[in-house]
Amino acid sequence: MVFEQNNPVVYLVDDEFAIRDSLTLLIETAGFDVQSFASALEFLDCYDPERPGCLLLDVRMPEMSGLELQKALNERSLDIPIIFISGHAEVADSAKAFRAGAIDFLEKPFENSVLLERIAEGIHKDIYARSQQSLKREILQRLGQLTPREMEVLRLIISSHSNKESAKILKVSNRTVDAHRARIMEKLQADSLAELMKIAMQCDLL
Amino acid sequence: MTSESNSSIALGFCDKPSVEAAELRKCLSIAQQRLLASEERIGILEQKLAEQTRELTESNQALRRNIAALEESKQRLREREAKLNSIFNAAVEGIITIDRNGCVVTANAAIKAILGYAEEELVGRSINMLMPSEQGVQHDRHIKDYIDHGHSKIIGSIREVEGLHKGGWTVPLDLSLAEFFIDGEIYFTGILRDTSQRKLQEQENREHLEELAHVTRLGLMGEMASGIAHEVNQPLTAIVAYTEVSLNLLKMPRLDTEKLAGILAKTHQQALRAGQIIHRMRDFIRSKTATRTLVCINQLIRDCIGLCSDDIKLQNIKLGLELTNDLPLVYVNEVQIEQVVLNLLRNAIEAMKDLAHDHPRRLAIHTRLDGRRFIEIGVEDNGPGIAAAELAKIMTPFYTTKKNGMGMGLSISRSLIEAHHGALRFNSLPGNGCTFYVTLPSKEQANGF
Ligand SMILES: Nc1ncnc2c1ncn2[C@@H]1O[C@H](COP(=O)(O)OP(=O)(O)OP(=O)(O)O)[C@@H](O)[C@H]1O
Ligand SMILES: [Mg+2]
């Protein structure tokens, strides 16, 4: 089962047994793994951030509400996609939820197809975010291979300075700058200036 | 006469010899003595005669005086009778006298006003003609029982009865009874008061209360609607999911009937649950709720809690239930008592709303037998309680300390409970919460009303 550790999972938090029971069946039937919890605190105790997934969350619950859990997760920088399910379609609640990044706010009872679509969307989003994360990690690692001088040259290039201008600023020859530039492209595995710009953006250099 | 006979004796013996004379003298002396004695007796007799004459005269005078007094008292009696008669006939109350057989002896003018019969239509006939038929039979038995055994619940007290009007309709009456004897014969006098007017007033008050209760019930429901909608949405959400799963199961190449049956059973449960909530709510906002039924108070309380469960959950309130088993039923207007319990629950929940976030909230509800004849419901919270200055005011209409309160909850609750011959009381520990108590007569007790 170890390899399933990284299968996406749908977390379901609702204090009502009938809701947990029925939605678990439904979501499992659609082919997802489901883990259900009767309270927000229980979920926080068991949540494994390494595993991709999305969170199906009731708004009103005793002790800790769904909105409070969303806030707690944000504070811990755990940005698992959240789909709220609520018996009361309170505009204020849903606005708050969306501002804090919720995928959707579904009013009970809802169309199952819509729920399953949102779940798929959420999981997709999480997987994508995770791949973006690892890509970023990789690029940062490549960036770490640049020498301080190469970093200087990179900054000049991405702030739209030509080779000539850069050489003048750095008080070196044009050929030296050309050589640095070729090394940078190689280390960052970029084929063009456009790609270099994209990488710079991903690493928040721009 | 005596002196005449004495002289004739003396004359008769004059010519006889002296021996005889001595005899004669002796006789004479005896006669003289007798005469003296007689004279003495006569004197006494005369005296007695005189005394008797005097006495006779005196008693004659007394007799005259008596006769005069008698005349006077006869006159007074006549006056009194006339006065009584005018009272008798002017009284608003009907007054009717019957003999030991239940036959009418007298009836006053008010009887005609109340029951439509003039005195002459009643005298000599049975009192039963003035009662709805089923009462008549009982009445005969009551009189007989009373005469035979001498005890009755009805003598000396006022009872509510129904009279039968000449026109065929019944008239609500207050009846008080007295008995009296003439020449050893028992008679009963009944005094009747027509209570239609009062009954009408009571009826109007009841209807007014009912209307007010209905209006406030609608308000109560309005405030609770979102919580109730949530309560209904829960089972519906489950049903939608369960049925979808069932449909998917049916599409599978190998049908897992056991699993399907399990899911359908759960679906069924949830549908029932949704139905119950809707049912409760519909009953609750119905306007015509006049009938009283036998109600299990514990079940009623559980239903009310069901309608508040969303709020209880959201405020994280610990609910403590101490419902005594096997309580007698209560004979009540179910919806009205629900309204009272809901008002108390909502007040308690609202009272705990502003407690600090981490302050434990406790709502405790109990039922128990109070004495043998009353059932008590207690609703206790650990909110702020009621300040001493407010104690007297909280039950008055429109008194509220809430931004969105109407202040009708407690006042209408008290009226409803009192209309059930019960009482609504409370006990407050400022700073520690308060307890409201409802007492209601149990079924056995309520039958007496
Ligand atoms: N359990 C309680 N704890 C503290 N105060 C209470 C409690 N119950 C009632 N009160 C006080 O009594 C007042 C009157 O209550 P009542 O139920 O009659 O009206 P209300 O709750 O204010 O409005 P509504 O008409 O909506 O019920 C309340 O405003 C509150 O101040
Ligand atoms: Mg109230």
Side-chain angles (χ1 to χ4, degrees):
Chain A
M1 288 294 237
V2 177
F3 66 94
E4 282 196 4
Q5 248 350 65
N6 277 319
N7 266 5
V9 60
V10 178
Y11 299 100
L12 169 57
V13 184
D14 196 307
D15 61 315
E16 166 102 23
F17 171 79
I19 300 285
R20 290 199 304 277
D21 186 54
S22 60
L23 291 185
T24 300
L25 271 171
L26 176 77
I27 299 166
E28 279 176 353
T29 309
F32 298 99
D33 282 358
V34 181
Q35 284 184 18
S36 69
F37 303 90
S39 77
L41 295 173
E42 224 178 274
F43 167 76
L44 277 177
D45 276 352
C46 304
Y47 177 52
D48 169 14
E50 292 307 312
R51 205 171 162 191
C54 75
L55 172 58
L56 211 55
L57 182 56
D58 187 20
V59 179
R60 299 208 180 179
M61 290 182 291
E63 286 174 279
M64 188 181 212
S65 76
L67 291 170
E68 283 166 338
L69 174 59
Q70 184 186 32
K71 199 165 152 235
L73 289 170
N74 280 343
E75 278 165 8
R76 297 178 201 187
S77 309
L78 298 171
D79 32 30
I80 177 170
I82 300 177
I83 301 153
F84 279 99
I85 50 175
S86 168
H88 315 252
E90 305 254 327
V91 179
D93 285 350
S94 69
K96 231 190 231 171
F98 280 121
R99 268 203 302 280
I103 290 195
D104 207 346
F105 193 97
L106 301 178
E107 189 189 343
K108 290 178 190 169
F110 35 73
E111 285 275 356
N112 294 323
S113 57
V114 174
L115 177 72
L116 294 173
E117 253 169 50
R118 294 294 178 276
I119 288 174
E121 187 186 324
I123 286 176
H124 192 260
K125 196 177 158 192
D126 195 40
I127 290 173
Y128 179 72
R130 280 163 194 275
S131 69
Q132 288 298 103
Q133 277 290 333
S134 59
L135 191 63
K136 187 174 170 183
R137 267 199 301 275
E138 204 187 306
I139 293 169
L140 281 173
Q141 202 206 337
R142 289 182 214 153
L143 207 61
Q145 293 169 359
L146 300 187
T147 62
R149 194 60 174 182
E150 283 163 357
M151 264 318 270
E152 258 179 297
V153 175
L154 176 62
R155 281 183 206 283
L156 288 170
I157 294 171
I158 58 176
S159 47
S160 312
H161 291 89
S162 67
N163 282 7
K164 237 184 238 164
E165 286 165 350
S166 304
K168 206 175 270 173
I169 294 171
L170 295 173
K171 297 188 176 76
V172 293
S173 71
N174 285 357
R175 285 194 50 213
T176 312
V177 172
D178 284 344
H180 278 311
R181 181 168 175 152
R183 291 286 294 149
I184 292 169
M185 301 285 269
E186 191 187 323
K187 281 186 178 169
L188 296 184
Q189 298 170 17
D191 295 336
S192 62
L193 179 63
E195 224 165 284
L196 201 62
M197 296 295 278
K198 206 169 113 197
I199 288 170
M201 246 158 82
Q202 277 168 337
C203 301
D204 305 319
L205 289 176
L206 267 178
Chain B
M1 235 174 26
T2 320
S3 63
E4 215 174 300
S5 66
N6 280 350
S7 63
S8 75
I9 291 167
L11 286 176
F13 289 102
C14 272
D15 306 330
K16 300 294 187 291
S18 58
V19 184
E20 284 177 7
E23 263 312 293
L24 275 174
R25 267 196 302 277
K26 204 175 158 192
C27 284
L28 185 66
S29 117
I30 288 166
Q32 274 172 336
Q33 274 169 23
R34 282 187 184 160
L35 188 65
L36 263 172
S38 296
E39 275 175 345
E40 219 171 281
R41 268 212 305 279
I42 286 167
I44 291 167
L45 278 174
E46 276 179 340
Q47 205 180 329
K48 273 201 180 147
L49 193 67
E51 269 172 26
Q52 275 178 4
T53 308
R54 201 177 61 240
E55 273 172 21
L56 217 64
T57 316
E58 274 174 13
S59 67
N60 193 358
Q61 277 168 356
L63 202 62
R64 275 179 211 285
R65 277 200 304 276
N66 278 347
I67 288 170
L70 199 64
E71 276 301 322
E72 204 183 305
S73 73
K74 252 164 111 183
Q75 177 61 25
R76 273 213 301 276
L77 209 60
R78 267 196 298 276
E79 282 169 13
R80 222 166 92 97
E81 197 183 319
K83 211 149 70 187
L84 276 179
N85 241 330
S86 75
I87 293 173
F88 183 66
N89 282 317
V92 206
E93 278 88 3
I95 304 171
I96 193 160
T97 301
I98 58 172
D99 63 16
R100 61 177 302 134
N101 299 315
C103 287
V104 176
V105 183
T106 62
N108 72 347
I111 290 289
K112 176 152 196 211
I114 298 172
L115 295 169
Y117 293 99
E119 184 174 26
E120 54 275 19
E121 292 175 274
L122 292 171
V123 170
R125 301 181 64 186
S126 166
I127 187 78
N128 289 353
M129 68 189 282
L130 298 178
M131 302 174 194
S133 52
E134 74 278 16
Q135 270 182 38
V137 184
Q138 282 186 3
H139 190 256
D140 287 343
R141 213 182 41 240
H142 283 323
I143 298 187
K144 195 172 171 313
D145 274 359
Y146 181 66
I147 294 171
D148 292 350
H149 308 295
H151 49 71
S152 166
K153 284 185 281 189
I154 55 173
I155 296 277
S157 65
I158 297 178
R159 290 201 317 145
E160 289 190 10
V161 297
E162 280 195 330
L164 183 64
H165 192 276
K166 190 178 178 183
W169 58 85
T170 57
V171 184
L173 301 170
D174 273 352
L175 168 68
S176 60
L177 275 184
E179 58 177 332
F180 64 92
F181 293 87
I182 295 178
D183 296 335
E185 266 301 317
I186 192 165
Y187 292 88
F188 300 95
T189 292
I191 297 181
L192 313 174
R193 183 181 301 137
D194 181 353
T195 56
S196 322
Q197 209 52 40
R198 194 184 73 206
K199 282 275 140 73
L200 211 65
Q201 184 68 45
E202 284 172 2
Q203 174 72 15
E204 270 174 20
N205 288 348
R206 252 201 312 278
E207 279 167 12
H208 184 212
L209 178 61
E210 226 169 77
E211 250 169 60
L212 200 61
H214 181 228
V215 170
T216 49
R217 237 176 5 248
L218 291 180
L220 193 59
M221 261 307 119
E223 281 168 46
M224 297 178 54
S226 106
I228 293 171
H230 184 249
E231 283 307 298
V232 180
N233 274 339
Q234 299 286 58
L236 290 183
T237 307
I239 290 168
V240 172
Y242 282 138
T243 47
E244 175 96 22
V245 173
S246 304
L247 289 171
N248 286 339
L249 280 179
L250 285 171
K251 285 185 213 140
M252 303 284 240
R254 269 190 62 243
L255 182 60
D256 186 343
T257 43
E258 206 173 308
K259 187 172 180 192
L260 183 63
I263 293 173
L264 286 180
K266 289 193 241 182
T267 313
H268 182 76
Q269 275 304 318
Q270 294 301 315
L272 286 180
R273 185 179 140 206
Q276 273 163 7
I277 300 168
I278 303 274
H279 195 78
R280 285 272 114 222
M281 198 171 92
R282 197 198 50 207
D283 281 355
F284 197 73
I285 56 180
R286 242 183 9 209
S287 66
K288 279 278 159 268
T289 62
T291 51
R292 294 192 177 183
T293 50
L294 285 175
V295 171
C296 164
I297 204 73
N298 289 349
Q299 190 50 47
L300 182 147
I301 287 174
R302 287 199 189 93
D303 288 343
C304 289
I305 292 171
L307 289 176
C308 295
S309 59
D310 195 42
D311 284 323
I312 293 176
K313 197 168 79 184
L314 283 179
Q315 278 193 47
N316 220 353
I317 294 170
K318 279 261 169 316
L319 185 65
L321 287 185
E322 253 179 69
L323 306 181
T324 306
N325 286 326
D326 303 324
L327 285 175
L329 300 175
V330 285
Y331 185 65
V332 295
N333 181 319
E334 187 171 13
V335 166
Q336 293 182 347
I337 301 305
E338 257 176 23
Q339 179 170 10
V340 171
V341 173
L342 275 180
N343 273 328
L344 297 183
L345 291 182
R346 277 178 45 80
N347 278 350
I349 292 169
E350 283 166 1
M352 295 187 283
K353 199 177 235 152
D354 294 330
L355 291 177
H357 187 69
D358 54 352
H359 190 290
R361 295 162 162 78
R362 210 161 30 73
L363 174 60
I365 303 166
H366 74 252
T367 54
R368 63 170 159 246
L369 209 53
D370 177 12
R372 294 193 74 80
R373 304 178 306 171
F374 285 86
I375 283 174
E376 179 188 275
I377 309 169
V379 178
E380 179 183 357
D381 65 66
N382 67 340
I386 297 157
E390 292 176 11
L391 289 178
K393 295 185 253 169
I394 64 161
M395 298 252 194
T396 52
F398 303 115
Y399 176 78
T400 181
T401 56
K402 298 171 193 168
K403 205 164 73 220
N404 298 317
M406 184 156 62
M408 283 303 288
L410 288 177
S411 110
I412 196 100
S413 295
R414 180 161 68 172
S415 304
L416 291 175
I417 292 297
E418 282 172 0
H420 282 83
H421 305 280
L424 174 64
R425 291 171 292 118
F426 66 94
N427 208 337
S428 166
L429 290 169
N432 287 312
C434 56
T435 312
F436 281 80
Y437 299 94
V438 171
T439 44
L440 283 171
S442 66
K443 177 193 65 180
E444 289 81 4
Q445 175 77 354
N447 282 345
F449 292 114

